[in-house]
């Protein structure tokens, strides 16, 4: 939704970060901050303990930072134990037209906007964009 004509004017500030780092996640237009952190308003509708509200705010603040670190996974005893997928999001910032979602939800693969960082993935992206321009 942030990449539609209606909202991208706010999200564009975030996408000025093409070589992302930890603080790129919170680099947003104030209106986008209202959307992002405004999700806590659900606690005004649903009866929740104040600790849930605090956890909600902490989770969103930390998620924005960690999802832009560039760390691809958590390794333990020479094996990747947790796949973070931050390279996936880094490609989204670099090329913009790919990897809108995350690796947990397969929308990018279903809609053809998945880019895995390979030369073949870049070729598929260019082909898709060229087909869009022709139509």
């Amino acid at each position: 939704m942030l990449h539609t004509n209606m909202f991208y004017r706010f999200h564009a500030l975030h996408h000025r970060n093409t070589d992302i780092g930890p603080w790129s996640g919170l680099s947003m237009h104030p209106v986008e901050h209202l959307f992002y952190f405004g999700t806590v308003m659900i606690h005004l509708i649903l009866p929740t303990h104040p600790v849930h509200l605090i956890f909600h705010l902490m989770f969103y603040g930390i998620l924005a930072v960690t999802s832009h670190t560039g760390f691809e996974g958590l390794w333990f005893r020479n094996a990747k134990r947790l796949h973070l997928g931050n390279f996936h999001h880094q490609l989204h910032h670099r090329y913009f037209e790919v990897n809108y979602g995350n690796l947990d939800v397969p929308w990018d693969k279903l809609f053809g906007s998945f880019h895995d960082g390979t030369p073949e993935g870049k070729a598929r992206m260019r082909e898709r964009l060229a087909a869009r321009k022709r139509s």
Side-chain angles (χ1 to χ4, degrees), residues 3-132:
H3 294 93
T4 62
N5 290 336
M6 181 190 290
F7 293 108
Y8 189 70
R9 62 180 169 193
F10 305 116
H11 190 57
L13 176 66
H14 178 71
H15 270 279
R16 288 185 187 166
N17 296 288
T18 55
D19 187 20
I20 59 174
W23 302 117
S24 303
L26 289 173
S27 173
M28 303 180 211
H29 189 279
V31 171
E32 188 174 358
H33 271 285
L34 287 174
F35 286 130
Y36 187 73
F37 288 111
T39 57
V40 299
M41 295 302 181
I42 192 73
H43 299 283
L44 297 176
I45 299 167
L46 297 176
T48 58
H49 193 277
V51 170
H52 293 124
L53 174 78
I54 293 167
F55 177 78
H56 190 138
L57 285 169
M58 287 175 59
F59 176 78
Y60 270 71
I62 292 170
L63 178 68
V65 173
T66 58
S67 65
H68 291 79
T69 59
F71 290 112
E72 184 56 23
L74 179 66
W75 289 75
F76 182 71
R77 294 188 180 171
N78 295 325
K80 189 185 288 188
R81 302 295 180 186
L82 179 63
H83 186 75
L84 299 174
N86 292 332
F87 180 67
H88 177 81
H89 192 71
Q90 190 170 7
L91 288 171
H92 172 69
H93 274 264
R94 184 176 300 151
Y95 297 117
F96 175 74
E97 293 289 339
V98 297
N99 300 349
Y100 295 105
N102 59 41
L103 293 174
D104 301 327
V105 182
W107 296 124
D108 286 310
K109 289 183 180 178
L110 287 172
F111 293 114
S113 56
F114 179 73
H115 190 326
D116 57 2
T118 63
E120 294 82 13
K122 192 172 187 176
R124 284 191 305 271
M125 176 191 67
R126 287 183 176 161
E127 183 179 309
R128 185 173 51 88
L129 294 175
R132 186 187 302 168

